[in-house]
Amino acid sequence: MTHEAFIQRLPKVELHVHLEGTLEPEMAFELGRRNGVALPYASANEMRAAYDFSDLQSFLDIYYASCSVLRTEQDFYDLTRAYLDRAIADNVRHVEPFFDPQTHTARGVAYHDVVSGIRRALDEALERDGITSKLIMCVLRDLSEDEAMAALRTALSDETTIDGIGMDSTEIGNPPTKFHSLYAFARAAGLRAVAHAGEEGPASYIRDSIDLLGAERIDHGVRCGEDPALVGRLIRDRICLTICPLSNVALRVVESIEDHPLREMLEVGLAVTVNSDDPAYFRGYIGDNYRAVTDALELTEDHLAELAFNAIVGSFADDERKIELLGELNAVTG
Ligand code: ADE
Ligand code: ZN
């Protein structure tokens, strides 16, 4: 089997994808027309051509501005459905997407419309395509803990449920310590916990996310190598890291895909996984990310099978579903 065919057939689990980051320029224009919201670009092609980022913040500024076209329950359904269609094409079998409700409620969109549009598409994908999911709400770490707490209370009181809490947005200057009470409250309410850490921020943010917030998985974590003791801890406790290779190149966390530490991380025993982050902005969905690292880092089928295995084990799927997915993986890897 060629690597291409092997990658295609791998049953994939995506643990790090922001639904707002799956908004393709064509859909942004379509929703903009539908909702009477203008975009600062003449065309979808011009919008795509503007995606040349120097760091995380330069991306976030464009990402939040483009969210202005998302207004109704149907918009959030359409966005999620389009992502799921792409995921199905890549043989994604389980997904745990993020959404950023504060970005939408700040513009007057009702939280319920956001979450119910997303849930409707996820429920339909389970029925129609057999894709299972867990939904993770992220709080914006550049805003206050009080604002995050208000968003969480709204989410917990909504009839449409969420499964987990995460945090994203501007990392540097917004340490995990800022959200200590929020995570304690979320975990007491039964939510699973993840956190972006060690993308642009220091390795200490990874450690504090685990120790102070109770994060069960670290989103990115690519800077953990700066602290060898932390690497030992992550290996020992099998803490899953959701690596996003094309994102890391686009946001200049690494210089090039050839320089990405993913292969070394895998070989020292870290529980790394491959994910897309914001695929509409970083030129690649999960399959593209698998192909890019396979070519650039000369990954073998054993490496690839381990990446897919780590994602199944690191997911929040229940044990029965994990066993099913491991069976699907075995059928491909022999
Ligand atoms: N929001 C969307 N993508 C993000 C990323 N890569 N880091 C932090 N916040 C984000
Ligand atoms: Zn992310």
Side-chain angles (χ1 to χ4, degrees):
M1 212 187 309
T2 61
H3 274 341
E4 176 77 21
F6 187 79
I7 291 170
Q8 178 57 34
R9 288 188 57 205
L10 276 180
K12 295 174 196 70
V13 167
E14 178 140 62
L15 301 177
H16 187 157
V17 58
H18 302 261
L19 288 171
E20 294 89 346
T22 71
L23 178 63
E24 292 286 350
E26 289 74 16
M27 180 176 274
F29 270 83
E30 188 188 317
L31 297 182
R33 260 192 305 276
R34 192 152 98 187
N35 295 324
V37 178
L39 287 162
Y41 310 97
S43 67
N45 281 343
E46 189 186 303
M47 186 169 175
R48 196 170 272 113
Y51 295 170
D52 181 19
F53 310 114
S54 51
D55 56 12
L56 175 59
Q57 194 60 50
S58 66
F59 154 70
L60 290 172
D61 293 342
I62 290 183
Y63 162 90
Y64 293 130
S66 299
C67 283
S68 63
V69 300
L70 294 161
R71 298 219 60 95
T72 67
E73 195 263 4
Q74 185 67 38
D75 298 340
F76 287 93
Y77 168 86
D78 289 345
L79 177 74
T80 308
R81 179 71 230 168
Y83 161 70
L84 289 165
D85 285 341
R86 286 300 310 256
I88 290 163
D90 278 338
N91 199 27
V92 170
R93 306 286 299 125
H94 176 83
V95 59
E96 302 190 356
F98 302 134
F99 70 115
D100 289 337
Q102 289 162 287
T103 305
H104 313 300
T105 54
R107 299 180 288 109
V109 178
Y111 172 81
H112 180 71
D113 290 346
V114 177
V115 73
S116 71
I118 294 170
R119 261 288 182 221
R120 185 154 66 88
L122 294 175
D123 289 348
E124 190 185 276
L126 174 63
E127 287 294 306
R128 199 155 84 180
D129 311 294
I131 294 192
T132 48
S133 60
K134 298 287 177 188
L135 182 57
I136 300 177
M137 168 189 139
C138 281
V139 298
L140 302 182
R141 68 197 302 160
D142 48 335
L143 302 184
S144 70
E145 189 180 46
D146 282 352
E147 287 166 289
M149 195 67 96
L152 177 58
R153 286 187 196 282
T154 300
L156 292 174
S157 62
D158 199 281
E159 67 191 88
T160 304
T161 57
I162 55 170
D163 303 295
I165 185 89
M167 69 174 171
D168 59 8
S169 200
T170 314
E171 186 180 6
I172 293 174
N174 295 296
T177 42
K178 188 172 159 185
F179 294 98
H180 188 231
S181 305
L182 177 91
Y183 271 74
F185 182 72
R187 286 187 294 112
L191 296 183
R192 307 301 296 262
V194 300
H196 279 56
E199 179 186 20
E200 282 190 346
S204 63
Y205 283 17
I206 300 174
R207 187 187 294 280
D208 288 349
S209 294
I210 298 165
D211 291 339
L212 300 178
L213 304 185
E216 301 167 77
R217 247 179 6 226
I218 295 296
D219 296 313
H220 294 295
V222 69
R223 287 188 59 187
C224 69
E226 291 166 22
D227 180 347
L230 173 63
V231 171
R233 161 90 191 282
L234 295 172
I235 293 170
R236 193 190 66 221
D237 293 344
R238 295 292 299 159
I239 293 175
C240 180
L241 305 178
T242 63
I243 303 291
C244 305
L246 292 174
S247 163
N248 293 156
V249 176
L251 302 187
R252 312 209 188 167
V253 171
V254 299
E255 251 179 51
S256 70
I257 196 80
E258 287 77 16
D259 293 319
H260 202 287
L262 178 82
R263 180 172 169 156
E264 289 85 62
M265 295 173 90
L266 191 59
E267 289 179 349
V268 298
L270 284 163
V272 287
T273 62
V274 166
N275 309 271
S276 68
D277 206 5
D278 301 284
Y281 292 89
F282 304 145
R283 301 183 172 89
Y285 286 77
I286 189 170
D288 302 306
N289 275 273
Y290 267 96
R291 283 186 287 274
V293 288
T294 300
D295 292 347
L297 308 177
E298 299 180 1
L299 299 187
T300 63
E301 289 188 0
D302 283 349
H303 288 125
L304 291 166
E306 203 176 327
L307 289 166
F309 174 86
N310 289 345
I312 295 170
V313 174
S315 77
F316 297 146
D318 61 30
D319 286 348
E320 196 182 329
R321 179 62 175 151
K322 283 187 184 180
I323 288 165
E324 237 170 61
L325 293 167
L326 290 170
E328 291 183 19
L329 179 59
N330 269 339
V332 175
T333 58

